[in-house]
Structures are given as C-alpha cells and as structure tokens.
Amino acid sequence: MVSKVFMSGNHAFGEAAIRAGCRSYFGYPITPQNEIGEYMAEHLPRNGGVFLQSESETAAINMVIGAAATGVRVMTSSSSPGISLKQEGISFLAGFQLPAVIVNVMRGGPGLGNIAPAQGDYFQATRGGGHGDYRTPVFAPGSLQEVADLTRVAFDVADRYRTPVMILGDGMLGQMKEPVEFPEPLVGLPEKEWALKGRGEGPSRYMASLILDVMEMERHNWELERKYQVITKNETLYEGYMLDDAKIVAVAYGTTARIAKAAIKRVRKEGVPAGLLRPITLWPFPKVPLQDLALRIEDFVVFEMSTGQMVEDVLLSLEGRGRVVFHGRPGGVVPTPVEFSRILYREYQRQVKSEK
Amino acid sequence: MKLLNKWPIYYKRDVVTHYCSGCGHGVVHRIIAELLEEMDLGKRAVCVNPAGCAVLAYKYFDIDMIESAHGRGTAIATGIKRVKPELFVFTYQGDGDLSAIGTAETIHSANRGEQITVVFINNAVYGMTGGQMAPTTLLGQKTTTTPGGRDPKFDGYPLHITDMIAQFPGVIYAERTAINGPAGIQRTKKAIRTAFQVQVDGLGYSIIEVLSACPTNWKMSTEDSFKWINEVMVKEFVPGVLTDKRGGAA
Ligand SMILES: Cc1ncc(C[n+]2csc(CCOP(=O)(O)OP(=O)(O)O)c2C)c(N)n1
Ligand code: SF4
C-alpha cells in the first residue's frame, strides 16, 4: 500500500528515514529542524528503534559513530551552527568509512545568525567541512516528495559506499507542508560483514582512523579518493527543466530551484526561453551536464540564498565557457519568483542585444 | 608445576609494546584482558579506545574495538550500547581525554546512567602530546605548560571528576585505585571486576579511576614514580570506593 499524506518537511525526513530502515537517531534540538527529532522520539521506539536526545551536537554525532559501527542504519539532523559542531564526527565517519545520514536544515548565518531559510552552508557541506581529505555526498531535495525519495537514496548510498551522506535542506523545506507519497518500508536489510558485534569465535575487528605510517596514510587517502571517484561516476543526480529550447539557463538547487521554476514559467509567457539545471547532488556536482549545456548555451544565471557559493562550482564546471551571472539573497531572505524573473528577463535582453 | 601466569586469550601475542617502561597503561591492559577471559566477556566485548597514549590499544587487545576522537569515548559507547544492548561495552580513557575535552560526554553519559563501564587512567598529565598540564595535574606539579608548577591562581585546581559523577544516581559503582605495587594491582583488578559485573548485571554506569605512572613525562624513574603515587598523588586523589549503589548485590 502506498500512502499519500500531507505533512511537514521535517516530519517527512523522519518518516522517510524510518521507512528506509533507520533504527536509531541521536540529536540535539535547534530550530528550524526540531520536528525531526520530535518525530523520531515518538515513532522510533514504536518501530523497535532507538531515540536519544544528546547533550550536544558533538555527542550526537559520536553516538551516530557508535551506532553506525555496529551496522544499524542511523541518522542525525541539525541546523547550521549544530552542523559545525558535528563536523568533527563527520570527518571521523569518513575516516572510519562508516555509513550515516546527516540532515542539515540550513538557517541564516554566520554565528547564531537567525532561524530563517538560507543556503549559506554550501561550502561547508560540499567541501568536506571537517578536517582531512574526504568528501561527503550531498543531496539537495527540492520538494517534500523528494525529501521522502532522497532520504532513502541517501541511506542506500551511505551503505553502498560506507560513507557519511548529507541531506541539505533549509528552513523553508523543513517547515512547509505538502502531500507526500512514501515508499513501502524496507525490511530485511543485508548484514554488514564489517560491523562490530563482538568477535565471537572469529577474529577481532577494529576501527581506527589513526594511521601513523605516512605511506599507509597516503594509500588510505587514495583509496578514499578512488571511492569518491566511483561515487562521482555513478551517483550524480540533477534535473533539467525546460532546457530543450532554452537560450538562458538558471542554475539553482533546493528552495531557490522551486522559486526559479516559478520564475521561468513567468518569463516564458513573455517570450524568454529560460530553462533550469537543478543539481540534486551538490557533491558530486553535475559538471558534465553543465558542460554539455555550455556547448549550445551562452548565458547562465546562478540563484542562491547566499552571497555566492555554488556559483563557484558552476564556474569550475564551465571552465571559462559561457557567461555566468550570480544573483543571491543571503541572511534568510527568501527571494520571490518576480525577483528572479526580472533577472532572467534582464539577462535575456542583454543576450539579444549583444547578438544584434 | 603450576602455571602462575597464563597468557590471556584476549591479549595479542608477539606485539612489541609502544608504552614506556614503568607506564601503567600496559599493566591495566593486562588486567582487563585477564578479566575479559575470566568473566567470559571477550566474545561480546567492544572497547572504545581514546586519543592519548592508549590510542593504539587495539594493537594489544584481541577483541572488537573502535577508536574515538579525543574525549568522545562515552558518546560512542552510548551509541553502541543503545543499539546493541547485548554487547559488553567499555571505554578506556586518559585524564586529558575524560576530564578535559570529554568533560561533557563524561558527565552526561554518567548522568544518563548508560550501561557502560569506564576505565579511567589518571596519570595527572597529557602523556601522548609530551607532558602538558591536565585537569588532574597536582598543585605545584611541573609540566611543560606549568613550568613553574601548577599554580591555582592561573591554572585552577585539580579536577576530581570521578568524585563528582559518583554523586549521580545513575552511577552505580565508582572506585579509585592505584598502580603502585602488587597490592595496588590486585585491588585494581578487583575494582575493575566489580565495575564490569555492574554492567553484566544491567545495573547502570560504572567507572574505575586508576592512578597510574607516566615516568617519561614525570621525568622520574619507575621506582620514584611509584613512590610519588604513594606519597603525593594519593593525598590529592584518595583511593577507595567512591560510590556503591549495588544494593543487595554488594
Ligand atoms: C581534538 C583534539 N585535540 C587535541 C588532540 C591532541 N592530543 C592527543 S592525546 C592528548 C592528551 C592525552 O592525554 P590523556 O588523555 O591524559 O592520555 P595519556 O596520553 O596521558 O594516556 C592530546 C591533547 C587530539 N588528538 N584531538
Ligand atoms: S608517555 Fe606516559 S602515559 Fe604515555 S606511554 Fe609513556 S609513560 Fe605511558
């Protein structure tokens, strides 16, 4: 039975995780994602799982490490300042090669900032965030349906590659309500051979990230890098919207991509052939699709709720091809479709003029 | 002929120790390995080892182990024990790890009464990083960051974290012992046995603080280190049972 329910993004994160076989959650309250922990507190124990409110984000992510090491599916969630605290543990998860899902429902910053939706943690999310040579796959849902779908994908990717995975949303996605169709609950997840479960009659196992021998450490880092290359090859996700006849392309993710879609619908009525490339994975970034677009499209407009972070990945991907314009609203200001339409209209006019 | 010292099955053979001579870590490791065998816990044991000189403990123990970031041992142990209550979970931590950077994790895991056991090695100094002041450094004690001796005006007082958490209702057993000679070693083994049993019986949190020599950073001979524990350290950190809430089991 597939069930369609009307619920908030934060609750959808919780429900999707439980249906993905998540049986433990450790977290510390921070707005605007408190409802994830609250949902888990109510539903995990009923489903045979473990909920624990930790004393801090640092403790929460280390509890995640412990649970992940035993092979169970585990999730934590937080918002920007809390994610900063979790970075220590995320680096250790990467070093130990442990799977876990970390949800970041972003708010305006830096520092305590505010509790309004923002996209200012892109750098932190996609560049590793913690110390050392590692990458974290980052999924950026654009709707609550995608919250449900991508949460499951996130758990699968985490397990498949034994890596921490981040889902990057924002306060808008967390707080709004939409109808969501959830997949059937997963049952009978395969045993993890590498998990700690007491040595029993067999050989003992240990998980360590300390590798004092430099050649051995180098080998380990290259092994991780090879894994990240496989993830890049196999797991890059994006959506193209009205791209076939587009002459100007917006690049935006998550909440800004929704707003950009509305803006594109508006300007198309006025004859502006705009389209959207929406990265669904922020790392790995959809570099190749963007390069392919650049073979026939000259103008790109990057929309973000930040002072400009993903725009750097767009520039890196295009490697000098095309013309890139950035428009951002940092600090928790949610832009309107009208605002984005104006930018698209203006840039298209410029294109037409320069062609004349 | 009676074999007095059988090699514990959960202690790896043919490994060259990285601990300095006279260091207490090796002795406590041996005690733990013996208890894991005597109490039949090794097969379902998971040890969380710290950042600190014991970060390489997995080289010696032949049981499942996981390393932790400096101070986070009891949070990791909490995660393991909560999802797999059937496992026997203990942490092995130094004073820098447990009573400085990991203070919050230590206090809150104890206050939640997590069903874990903590083996806390107090050598009054940061061993691994080269002998800096620890929260447990004694007043007047010289370390590389208290070159004139620890001065409470600038450096605060020695932190008695085990006495502090012994007050918590969820802390069932807390004892302080010292590796300062054969009798101290025997007492330490008995204390750790009791602490392990508390977890086996599902009673709650247990912790054993072991006063332990760091001859290298104390800049003393092994002999003088033992003397210093006996004559100076035990005056600040008095050995004995700090709490025992086992009730009828005692
Ligand atoms: C976050 C972090 N800060 C600092 C360090 C460096 N460091 C490693 S071990 C250590 C002190 C260890 O002292 P203690 O816990 O008392 O153990 P000992 O080495 O004395 O056995 C420090 C500060 C670290 N590994 N991680
Ligand atoms: S430095 Fe101190 S604690 Fe570390 S191994 Fe040497 S004696 Fe032991």
Side-chain angles (χ1 to χ4, degrees):
Chain A
M1 188 198 69
V2 179
S3 36
K4 196 160 193 164
V5 276
F6 190 68
M7 59 162 52
S8 77
N10 284 337
H11 285 174
F13 273 120
E15 181 60 28
I18 293 170
R19 284 171 185 250
C22 173
R23 284 298 169 269
S24 53
Y25 173 96
F26 304 92
Y28 188 80
I30 180 169
T31 310
Q33 61 79 55
N34 294 318
E35 298 80 8
I36 302 180
E38 288 164 1
Y39 194 88
M40 291 310 221
E42 188 169 346
H43 292 88
L44 262 182
R46 274 190 215 164
N47 287 276
V50 171
F51 166 85
L52 181 61
Q53 180 173 319
S54 62
E55 65 272 28
S56 68
E57 287 84 355
T58 315
I61 194 74
N62 280 280
M63 291 169 185
V64 165
I65 291 175
T70 73
V72 304
R73 284 196 162 180
V74 54
M75 181 166 101
T76 185
S77 63
S78 193
S79 180
S80 311
I83 293 292
S84 292
L85 286 173
K86 285 190 208 282
Q87 293 297 348
E88 171 191 281
I90 298 174
S91 168
F92 274 80
L93 283 163
F96 289 149
Q97 303 208 56
L98 284 176
V101 173
I102 301 122
V103 178
N104 182 0
V105 181
M106 289 182 281
R107 57 191 238 178
L112 270 183
N114 59 25
I115 56 169
Q119 293 181 323
D121 303 352
Y122 181 94
F123 282 155
Q124 189 192 46
T126 58
R127 265 58 180 168
H131 59 284
D133 260 340
Y134 76 94
R135 295 287 193 165
T136 321
V138 181
F139 292 91
S143 65
L144 299 205
Q145 186 55 51
E146 237 177 38
V147 166
D149 298 338
L150 288 179
T151 299
R152 175 161 296 190
V153 176
F155 276 102
D156 289 344
V157 166
D159 273 356
R160 196 175 310 136
Y161 300 97
R162 289 183 57 184
T163 185
V165 170
M166 182 172 280
I167 309 180
L168 194 65
D170 60 55
M172 176 84 111
L173 198 79
Q175 297 295 330
M176 70 187 193
K177 282 188 167 184
E178 267 180 354
V180 193
E181 214 169 88
F182 287 100
E184 285 293 301
L186 275 182
V187 280
L189 288 163
E191 277 268 311
K192 290 168 182 163
E193 285 308 314
W194 48 261
L196 301 182
K197 39 183 163 274
R199 60 170 268 191
E201 303 299 334
S204 56
R205 301 176 175 85
Y206 69 86
M207 277 174 198
S209 61
L210 180 86
I211 303 174
L212 291 172
D213 181 294
V214 292
M215 300 306 284
E216 185 61 17
M217 188 78 238
E218 186 183 38
R219 196 196 56 71
H220 175 75
N221 279 346
W222 282 124
E223 184 189 309
L224 288 179
E225 174 54 22
R226 271 190 295 279
K227 172 165 88 175
Y228 301 139
Q229 284 172 9
V230 176
I231 295 174
T232 302
K233 190 164 160 279
N234 295 341
E235 310 296 343
T236 308
L237 294 175
Y238 65 96
E239 183 203 4
Y241 177 73
M242 297 200 171
L243 284 177
D244 288 348
D245 60 340
K247 293 217 167 68
I248 182 163
V249 168
V251 187
Y253 69 96
T255 293
T256 38
R258 283 176 81 108
I259 302 164
K261 274 188 188 174
I264 288 163
K265 275 190 204 145
R266 284 178 74 96
V267 296
R268 282 225 165 220
K269 284 193 198 126
E270 295 171 52
V272 178
L276 170 76
L277 184 101
R278 176 173 73 96
I280 297 174
T281 49
L282 301 180
W283 188 89
F285 192 75
K287 178 178 176 171
V288 177
L290 204 57
Q291 287 180 341
D292 288 348
L293 276 177
L295 295 175
R296 59 180 178 87
I297 287 161
E298 184 58 24
D299 280 296
F300 296 88
V301 182
V302 180
F303 293 119
E304 293 181 69
M305 293 194 292
S306 79
T307 54
Q309 301 194 8
M310 183 182 70
V311 64
E312 292 194 4
D313 273 340
V314 173
L315 288 165
L316 279 170
S317 301
L318 292 176
E319 291 171 347
R321 280 160 278 195
R323 195 172 65 92
V324 177
V325 172
F326 171 73
H327 179 78
R329 297 302 301 266
V333 176
V334 180
T336 61
V338 175
E339 181 178 344
F340 281 3
S341 329
R342 280 202 204 108
I343 306 289
L344 290 171
Y345 194 78
R346 184 191 75 202
E347 292 309 316
Y348 183 62
Q349 290 309 111
R350 186 181 302 188
Q351 184 188 81
V352 173
K353 234 181 255 165
S354 72
E355 272 166 8
K356 272 181 195 159
Chain B
M1 201 172 76
K2 193 172 165 237
L3 185 64
L4 282 177
N5 269 313
K6 196 169 86 49
W7 192 271
I9 55 175
Y10 299 111
Y11 212 35
K12 287 180 189 161
R13 283 171 186 267
D14 305 325
V15 188
V16 180
T17 185
H18 80 286
Y19 294 120
C20 313
S21 66
C23 174
H25 278 305
V27 180
V28 183
H29 281 16
R30 168 84 192 217
I31 289 172
I32 292 172
E34 287 176 2
L35 286 171
L36 289 172
E37 183 175 354
E38 289 166 23
M39 300 176 75
D40 196 19
L41 294 171
K43 287 183 190 138
R44 60 182 178 99
V46 177
C47 172
V48 184
N49 61 282
C53 283
V55 66
L56 295 174
Y58 58 79
K59 276 175 60 181
Y60 311 115
F61 289 109
D62 206 355
I63 59 170
D64 277 7
M65 299 193 67
I66 181 168
E67 163 200 294
S68 63
H70 203 24
R72 314 291 177 232
T74 53
I76 294 188
T78 298
I80 299 171
K81 188 72 179 182
R82 288 286 179 125
V83 300
K84 299 282 175 192
E86 67 276 16
L87 296 178
F88 177 77
V89 183
F90 67 102
T91 69
Y92 186 99
Q93 299 176 267
D95 45 78
D97 189 271
L98 180 142
S99 71
I101 188 167
T103 313
E105 286 80 0
T106 301
I107 288 179
H108 289 280
S109 58
N111 191 47
R112 286 191 305 266
E114 294 296 338
Q115 308 264 340
I116 59 172
T117 305
V118 174
V119 179
F120 167 27
I121 307 298
N122 179 358
N123 57 17
V125 79
Y126 285 12
M128 193 189 210
T129 42
Q132 298 85 2
M133 183 188 76
T136 47
T137 294
L138 304 195
L139 292 183
Q141 187 185 339
K142 283 190 176 161
T143 70
T144 58
T145 48
T146 53
R150 183 176 190 166
D151 180 346
K153 267 212 307 263
F154 302 107
D155 312 311
Y157 293 85
L159 183 64
H160 291 233
I161 196 159
T162 316
D163 303 72
M164 187 171 143
I165 62 175
Q167 312 302 314
F168 301 167
V171 176
I172 303 303
Y173 195 82
E175 183 171 350
R176 185 183 292 119
T177 65
I179 299 293
N180 54 0
I185 292 174
Q186 283 313 313
R187 263 197 297 278
T188 301
K189 184 166 176 182
K190 188 164 166 278
I192 298 177
R193 182 193 295 277
T194 309
F196 279 6
Q197 193 62 42
V198 165
Q199 184 181 160
V200 171
D201 294 340
L203 300 177
Y205 182 101
S206 53
I207 178 169
I208 300 302
E209 174 178 338
V210 183
L211 306 183
S212 165
C214 178
T216 305
N217 288 304
W218 293 356
K219 307 202 182 333
M220 290 178 202
S221 66
T222 304
E223 222 174 39
D224 287 346
S225 296
F226 278 19
K227 225 157 116 196
W228 194 74
I229 295 179
N230 281 325
E231 289 169 10
V232 184
M233 212 177 169
V234 295
K235 296 217 173 89
E236 178 71 40
F237 296 106
V238 183
V241 176
L242 303 173
T243 191
D244 184 355
K245 307 187 185 82
R246 288 174 298 161

